[in-house]
């Protein structure tokens, strides 16, 4: 999972996974970049993982990326 590109269902690139952590029994992808955006690594957020293309497709609610981490 590390190094895989994370894209939203609208095709917009969200970032690249630099770490996979579990906090309070919830798996999270930690993305590279300013602010270390953390994305839930479970349903209903994760829609598809394409290991061959190294792409994880997620469905983030509007404004999710603007929330304080």
């Amino acid at each position: 999972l590390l190094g895989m590109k994370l894209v939203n269902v609208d095709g917009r690139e969200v970032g690249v996974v630099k770490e996979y952590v579990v906090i309070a029994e919830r798996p999270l992808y930690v993305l590279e970049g300013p602010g270390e955006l953390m994305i839930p690594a479970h349903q209903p957020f994760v829609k598809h993982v394409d290991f061959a293309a190294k792409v994880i497709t997620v469905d983030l609610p509007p404004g999710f990326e603007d929330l304080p981490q």
Side-chain angles (χ1 to χ4, degrees), residues 1-5 16-21 29-30 32 54 56:
L1 298 173
L2 302 182
M4 293 182 78
K5 185 183 343 179
V16 175
V17 178
K18 76 170 189 176
E19 192 175 354
Y20 177 84
V21 297
Y29 298 122
V30 181
E32 293 178 353
K54 297 185 178 180
I56 301 168

Side-chain angles (χ1 to χ4, degrees), residues 25 28 60 67:
E25 299 183 24
L28 300 166
L60 300 177
L67 295 172

Side-chain angles (χ1 to χ4, degrees), residues 12-60:
R12 183 178 42 80
E13 185 173 334
V14 180
V16 175
V17 178
K18 76 170 189 176
E19 192 175 354
Y20 177 84
V21 297
V22 178
I23 299 175
E25 299 183 24
R26 299 283 185 198
L28 300 166
Y29 298 122
V30 181
L31 305 184
E32 293 178 353
E36 282 196 342
L37 184 62
M38 290 190 276
I39 304 292
H42 54 81
Q43 292 184 354
F45 300 99
V46 176
K47 296 300 181 187
H48 182 72
V49 178
D50 185 337
F51 288 100
K54 297 185 178 180
V55 174
I56 301 168
T57 303
V58 295
D59 189 5
L60 300 177

